[in-house]
Amino acid sequence: MMYQLIALTLIVLLTTPGSAHAYIDPGVASIILQSLVAVIATVSATVGLFWHRVKSFFRFGSSDSDATKRPAETAD
């Protein structure tokens, strides 16, 4: 275990650069924002598509057909 940790530490230290001197232009902020919006849209679409399954899982056996079997309430 100790040798694996030492080997992993050496690999990480040898493969990472000391300093990158990278330039981040103003367009990077819009790319990050677009990525964030895409992730939010993907998550909401996935939840929306599987919302029926999630609801039916938490109902513990009742189905949507139970609502259609109930008689309609009449106004007196």
Side-chain angles (χ1 to χ4, degrees), residues 17-51:
S19 59
H21 300 290
Y23 171 71
I24 299 177
D25 61 37
V28 172
S30 66
I31 292 173
I32 293 172
L33 182 63
Q34 288 175 5
S35 300
L36 183 64
V37 169
V39 167
I40 291 171
T42 302
V43 168
S44 64
T46 302
V47 169
L49 288 172
F50 293 105
W51 184 246

Side-chain angles (χ1 to χ4, degrees), residues 46-60:
T46 302
V47 169
L49 288 172
F50 293 105
W51 184 246
H52 177 69
R53 291 182 185 176
V54 171
K55 284 190 338 187
S56 65
F57 175 76
F58 286 112
R59 282 191 195 156
F60 299 112

